[in-house]
Amino acid sequence: MSLFEVNDKGNIVVHGHLDRETLSKNFWESLSGNQRSTLLSNKKCQVDLGDVERADSAGLAWLINAVRDAKQNGVSMTLYKMPEKLQKLAKISDADSFLPVE
């Protein structure tokens, strides 16, 4: 199973661990051509983090960069079902203001 899936509405479900061991590329580079096209045509997406089991500072950076990259490509991204530990990490890191959490 891949780290995340993009459905035909442009919504994304993230699975498993968001950490330095599972993240080798940034979000936008990890997308296939079809996934990019879907996001670009929808202009917005929701990222479901409810299935994330563990995240560290690399996972937080990956999310911040995903939001940035989406915005640079004209896609509005919203995060939801963010695990409590990841929310705390974002708050401690003073990065919570960068993340559009629902």
Side-chain angles (χ1 to χ4, degrees):
M1 177 185 291
S2 66
L3 179 62
F4 62 90
E5 299 166 22
V6 180
N7 69 21
D8 59 349
K9 294 179 181 170
N11 295 322
I12 300 163
V13 178
V14 182
H15 306 281
H17 300 174
L18 282 178
D19 59 24
R20 66 181 60 76
E21 306 210 1
T22 60
L23 300 168
S24 58
K25 294 188 215 176
N26 75 31
F27 168 74
W28 203 257
E29 290 174 354
S30 300
L31 295 171
S32 70
N34 286 340
Q35 290 171 326
R36 280 190 194 135
S37 294
T38 298
L39 292 176
L40 291 170
S41 66
N42 285 307
K43 303 267 187 228
K44 63 180 181 173
C45 71
Q46 292 186 326
V47 179
D48 180 349
L49 299 168
D51 199 28
V52 172
E53 297 169 13
R54 186 179 74 222
D56 63 10
S57 57
L60 178 60
W62 185 84
L63 285 172
I64 292 168
N65 289 334
V67 171
R68 178 204 64 204
D69 293 347
K71 188 175 189 176
Q72 287 175 346
N73 286 282
V75 178
S76 172
M77 182 179 281
T78 305
L79 309 175
Y80 71 103
K81 294 185 186 175
M82 183 179 260
E84 187 177 336
K85 288 184 179 182
L86 187 54
Q87 288 179 4
K88 287 180 181 178
L89 180 60
K91 188 169 183 89
I92 290 168
S93 305
D94 204 24
D96 52 336
S97 63
F98 300 118
L99 298 174
V101 179
E102 240 180 44

